[in-house]
Amino acid sequence: MKEGGFKGRDIISIRDFSKSELLYVLKIAKQIEKNPNPNLLKEKILSTLFFEPSTRTRLSFTAAMERLGGQVMGFATPGVSSVKKGETLWDTIKMVEQYADVIAMRHPIEGSARLAAEAASIPIINCGDGSNQHPTQTLVDLYTIQKTKGKLDGLKVGMLGDLKYGRTVHSLAIALSHFSTTFYFISPEALKMPKEYIDELKEKKIKYEEVVELKKVSKELDVLYVTRVQKERFPDPVEYEKYKDFYKLDKSLLPFIKKDLKIMHPLPRVGEISPELDETPHAVYFEQAGNGIPVREALLALVLGKIK
Ligand code: CP
């Protein structure tokens, strides 16, 4: 972190946030959503550097910056940048900081966001570094849970799918551990939550259960957070083929869930949730993507020092 408060601060890992800081960002997001200010970031420039594909994160950052009166430049694929000619990440950041006030970056290598923050004198916002962290998605997820469940404390949250490689589940589990959550980690044996996250929950005395079958725990859940099996992270494509269709949620699940269960999905779905669930009151994944705008507006305004 570059200094106290949010001004000038890098957003690299959800571990860098205290509970009160998480709640503060959500509060600012709510305020901005209620009272939009189209001039708040006038004359500020966001650079979006995406070394991996994205729809939600890159476009909602773009929409957030533009709705606050700022401008956006960058690339959606490294193939159109000087990275293609061999420029290092360090040098790319040193170049881009000459043109922008803040950088939102996604990169396939774990730890790349931290490296970029060391290189930069302007705030770096981690939009996903390999399987590691996706802190802005976590803030979007918390905002969505708070809005749709009316609270964050004391919920029973199921996380389903690829818990091994899923950076959004890693970040969200850490954040929810501040809120007396009971976790149900639902995955095939080979895609379990990594030991370091389980150890962290144990140390904090957080309740959790690990299961393979969703229906064993589905009646308990207040929130079901579904993730895609991350093809791009599998070292062996044969392994991916084994697990890609492991979970397929459809209307046959409805008798086995609470009436007010909310189903979230932070990522592009590739078959884990049937579209027949979209029209049910359980599905909040489109609303979740929309919440990316107020939350990222809040983060941009905070790190650029326009809101204290
Ligand atoms: N949530 C998320 O990372 O989605 P995108 O890959 O579409 O940005």
Side-chain angles (χ1 to χ4, degrees):
M1 291 179 213
K2 292 189 166 106
E3 45 182 90
F6 278 97
K7 187 178 175 188
R9 187 165 152 177
D10 304 307
I11 307 295
I12 304 299
S13 167
I14 210 69
R15 284 196 175 90
D16 300 336
F17 286 76
S18 65
K19 179 177 180 176
S20 60
E21 286 174 334
L22 293 172
L23 291 171
Y24 184 64
V25 176
L26 304 188
K27 184 177 128 186
I28 299 299
K30 198 170 168 187
Q31 277 172 13
I32 292 185
E33 190 172 20
K34 233 172 144 186
N35 299 302
N37 178 347
N39 293 314
L40 190 65
L41 298 185
K42 212 165 172 228
E43 293 174 10
K44 295 290 181 191
I45 297 178
L46 164 69
S47 182
T48 52
L49 307 183
F50 277 65
F51 296 80
E52 276 192 334
S54 166
T55 297
R56 293 152 194 74
T57 313
R58 191 175 65 81
L59 295 185
S60 63
F61 259 116
T62 301
M65 193 64 181
E66 291 184 354
R67 283 185 189 204
L68 295 179
Q71 292 173 51
V72 183
M73 62 176 189
F75 52 79
T77 167
V80 296
S81 75
S82 287
V83 172
K84 177 106 175 162
K85 300 177 210 157
E87 187 160 68
T88 61
L89 176 60
W90 185 276
D91 283 359
T92 300
I93 298 296
K94 298 302 283 179
M95 294 304 136
V96 172
E97 71 175 2
Q98 309 300 317
Y99 315 132
D101 300 292
V102 54
I103 293 172
M105 185 184 92
R106 172 172 291 181
H107 197 283
I109 298 177
E110 289 188 23
S112 51
R114 197 71 77 187
L115 177 79
E118 277 172 35
S121 57
I122 61 173
I124 297 286
I125 303 179
N126 181 10
C127 295
D129 60 330
S131 303
N132 188 30
Q133 285 272 313
H134 195 341
T136 72
Q137 181 62 46
T138 301
L139 287 156
V140 174
D141 297 339
L142 293 178
Y143 192 70
T144 303
I145 294 171
Q146 196 180 52
K147 251 178 135 176
T148 60
K149 298 301 296 180
K151 62 176 187 176
L152 284 168
D153 280 301
L155 294 170
K156 295 185 170 185
V157 176
M159 294 183 165
L160 175 140
D162 181 353
L163 309 185
K164 179 176 179 181
Y165 296 115
R167 59 195 173 199
T168 65
V169 289
H170 301 162
S171 293
L172 185 58
I174 292 166
L176 281 174
S177 69
H178 291 293
F179 297 97
S180 311
T181 304
T182 301
F183 290 101
Y184 298 84
F185 297 126
I186 308 149
S187 73
E189 247 342 273
L191 298 179
K192 280 169 71 172
M193 198 72 169
K195 187 175 175 304
E196 62 177 287
Y197 293 96
I198 296 291
D199 286 348
E200 191 167 332
L201 296 179
K202 275 184 192 159
E203 206 168 290
K204 292 179 177 166
K205 303 202 182 333
I206 310 280
K207 286 189 218 146
Y208 73 92
E209 203 176 311
E210 292 180 284
V211 296
V212 177
E213 287 265 332
L214 170 60
K215 282 185 185 156
K216 276 203 170 147
V217 296
S218 54
K219 271 258 191 273
E220 299 289 328
L221 305 177
D222 301 307
V223 173
L224 176 58
Y225 189 88
V226 180
T227 64
R228 162 178 82 89
V229 178
Q230 316 252 314
K231 183 179 186 179
E232 65 276 28
R233 313 257 178 254
F234 275 72
D236 179 356
V238 177
E239 282 296 295
Y240 168 72
E241 287 300 319
K242 265 201 249 173
Y243 298 111
K244 70 178 184 12
D245 297 323
F246 202 87
Y247 298 108
K248 285 191 167 292
L249 276 57
D250 57 25
K251 280 193 167 169
S252 67
L253 180 67
L254 297 181
F256 303 95
I257 58 177
K258 284 184 187 168
K259 278 198 169 49
D260 58 353
L261 170 77
K262 298 301 175 198
I263 302 176
M264 299 171 66
H265 194 322
L267 306 173
R269 66 174 158 186
V270 286
E272 313 78 36
I273 302 179
S274 164
E276 69 186 31
L277 288 174
D278 293 359
E279 299 310 319
T280 70
H282 303 290
V284 297
Y285 25 88
F286 297 119
E287 180 182 345
Q288 181 185 3
N291 289 336
I293 295 179
V295 170
R296 291 178 171 119
E297 284 176 332
L299 280 170
L300 289 167
L302 285 164
V303 300
L304 288 169
K306 292 294 179 182
I307 293 179
K308 295 274 183 296

